[in-house]
């Protein structure tokens, strides 16, 4: 059976509890609300509020600042969306970014810049391969797996760097250059990555297979999809794009910090869930994730312009995550109860 058939099977199959999935005509109002609609309203409300409160909010340079702030998390959030659609998690992205950055600076110092770049990419793929193997071959829960690798690789990064920040010269172009319309290169890379994953998830057999696996993994497997191999590839993609984000981060800072990825996994998961991806799998879009990233970036930018303590930004991100998950659970509950 094709991936399209598996997707259809996933939609028709009842959930584990045995309850029938409601037809679209029976879905309540809350379940019919497009995932992106609340985000658009929230983004407009935040924009209006901060434009009134700060004269610096509505200008081109600040708009680029918002996009630049969202770029690193956005590059990682793209494969994270793919994983969550398939019902998987990768909470190791923050420590993976730290590890790849430190590895890049360490190897570059001893063997040259090109070797450092290759080492960072291989490091990201290694983390993805470890996560993928533990989840798909050994059968460890992805939450436990990636929590374990989160702790392991940030610790390994600190061992390599001896707890210090490693400087790196001659690698500023990737993180600071503005090749087109004064737009920073990280923003361009971010938008290209979003475009690639939009096509991948919407128009390819691989992308549709991820939805099928997330909707009903048993039905997807019975339909002939090699779920283990597909999920392994998804974890590899996550590791690869974390490495890309790490290279940009090192280029921006001119150094590799052992604290570079602190809290990054929270921002990524918040953006993906806020964008409409379900923790149960089977639902989510890259456009929704993009709007989720913009909401977080605008909120952080606006609070900074208003000179609000940076700790309150963490409070805001945590609150957004709770609200997003609560909305997702309410949507699922009303859909099932109808």
């Amino acid at each position: 059976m094709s991936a399209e058939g598996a997707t259809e099977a996933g939609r028709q199959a009842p959930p584990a509890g045995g309850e029938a999935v409601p037809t679209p005509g029976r879905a309540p109002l809350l379940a019919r609300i497009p995932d992106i609609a609340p985000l658009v309203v929230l983004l407009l409300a935040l924009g209006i509020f901060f434009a009134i409160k700060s004269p610096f909010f509505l200008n081109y340079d600040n708009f680029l600042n918002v996009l630049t702030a969202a770029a690193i998390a956005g590059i990682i959030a793209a494969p994270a969306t793919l994983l969550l659609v398939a019902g998987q998690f990768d909470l190791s992205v923050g420590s993976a970014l730290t590890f790849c950055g430190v590895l890049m600076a360490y190897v570059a110092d001893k063997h040259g810049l090109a070797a450092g770049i290759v080492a960072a990419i291989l490091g990201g793929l290694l983390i993805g391969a470890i996560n993928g193997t533990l989840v798909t071959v050994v059968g460890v829960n992805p939450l436990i797996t990636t929590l374990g690798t989160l702790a392991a690789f940030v610790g390994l990064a600190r061992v390599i760097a001896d707890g210090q920040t490693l400087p790196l010269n001659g690698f500023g172009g990737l993180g600071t250059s503005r090749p087109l319309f004064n737009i920073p290169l990280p923003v361009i890379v971010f938008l290209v990555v979003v475009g690639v994953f939009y096509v991948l998830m919407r128009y390819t057999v691989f992308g549709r297979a991820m939805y099928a696996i997330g909707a009903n993994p048993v039905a997807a497997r019975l339909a002939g999809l090699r779920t283990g191999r597909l999920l392994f590839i998804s974890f590899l993609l996550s590791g690869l794009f974390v490495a890309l984000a790490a290279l940009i981060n090192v280029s921006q800072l001119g150094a590799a910090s052992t604290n570079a990825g602190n809290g990054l996994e929270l921002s990524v998961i918040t953006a993906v869930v806020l964008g409409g991806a379900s923790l149960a799998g089977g639902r989510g879009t890259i456009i929704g994730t993009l709007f989720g990233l913009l909401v977080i970036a605008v909120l952080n930018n606006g609070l900074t312009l208003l000179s609000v303590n940076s700790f309150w930004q963490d409070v805001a991100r945590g609150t957004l995550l709770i609200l997003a998950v609560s909305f997702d659970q309410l949507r699922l509950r009303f859909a099932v109860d109808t």
Side-chain angles (χ1 to χ4, degrees), residues 27-286:
L29 178 61
L30 183 61
R32 295 181 190 177
I33 298 175
D35 294 330
I36 203 172
L39 287 179
V40 173
V41 173
L42 179 58
L43 192 59
L44 288 174
L46 288 174
I48 293 171
F49 175 77
F50 289 128
I52 293 172
K53 290 293 185 178
S54 173
F56 305 106
F57 182 78
L58 289 181
N59 64 62
Y60 184 69
D61 287 338
N62 190 60
F63 175 69
L64 292 180
N65 289 338
V66 169
L67 292 178
T68 302
I72 288 179
I75 291 169
I76 298 173
T81 304
L82 184 69
L83 279 170
L84 198 56
V85 161
Q88 305 296 311
F89 297 88
D90 187 356
L91 299 181
S92 67
V93 292
S95 65
L97 180 137
T98 299
F99 174 77
C100 290
V102 167
L103 185 63
M104 188 262 185
Y106 180 82
V107 173
D109 180 61
K110 297 182 177 299
H111 303 287
L113 189 58
I117 294 172
V118 172
I121 294 172
L122 292 178
L125 289 174
L126 172 65
I127 295 173
I130 291 174
N131 288 335
T133 300
L134 289 173
V135 171
T136 63
V137 178
V138 182
V140 183
N141 182 281
L143 183 64
I144 301 302
T145 295
T146 55
L147 279 175
T149 52
L150 181 154
F153 279 97
V154 74
L156 188 56
R158 288 168 181 165
V159 169
I160 293 173
D162 196 24
Q164 306 297 313
T165 296
L166 302 181
L168 182 67
N169 299 318
F171 190 56
L174 181 60
T176 60
S177 63
R178 296 178 176 239
L180 185 65
F181 300 115
N182 203 35
I183 301 174
L185 184 55
V187 174
I188 296 174
V189 174
F190 164 45
L191 295 178
V192 170
V193 170
V194 167
V196 168
F197 274 86
Y198 176 81
V199 172
L200 179 69
M201 294 178 65
R202 188 175 178 87
Y203 297 109
T204 69
V205 173
F206 176 76
R208 292 193 295 271
M210 292 296 103
Y211 284 98
I213 294 170
N216 193 318
V218 176
R221 187 165 55 251
L222 292 176
L225 292 179
R226 297 184 176 182
T227 57
R229 176 182 295 183
L230 294 172
L231 292 176
F232 183 82
I233 293 173
S234 298
F235 278 105
L236 281 182
L237 288 174
S238 179
L240 177 63
F241 282 91
V242 165
L244 174 60
L247 293 175
I248 293 175
N249 179 257
V250 171
S251 180
Q252 288 176 330
L253 299 177
S257 170
T258 55
N259 297 315
N262 287 0
L264 183 60
E265 59 281 341
L266 176 61
S267 296
V268 170
I269 292 296
T270 301
V272 176
V273 176
L274 193 63
S278 174
L279 295 176
R283 195 179 76 240
T285 66
I286 196 66

Side-chain angles (χ1 to χ4, degrees), residues 238-329:
S238 179
L240 177 63
F241 282 91
V242 165
L244 174 60
L247 293 175
I248 293 175
N249 179 257
V250 171
S251 180
Q252 288 176 330
L253 299 177
S257 170
T258 55
N259 297 315
N262 287 0
L264 183 60
E265 59 281 341
L266 176 61
S267 296
V268 170
I269 292 296
T270 301
V272 176
V273 176
L274 193 63
S278 174
L279 295 176
R283 195 179 76 240
T285 66
I286 196 66
I287 297 301
T289 296
L290 174 61
F291 273 89
L293 288 162
L294 290 176
V295 167
I296 296 172
V298 166
L299 182 62
N300 289 341
N301 178 264
L303 292 177
T304 301
L305 290 177
L306 297 181
S307 300
V308 176
N309 190 306
S310 61
F311 297 131
W312 284 107
Q313 296 180 20
D314 296 329
V315 174
R317 281 194 296 269
T319 303
L320 279 175
L321 179 58
I322 293 172
L323 291 175
V325 173
S326 298
F327 184 82
D328 177 54
Q329 292 302 308

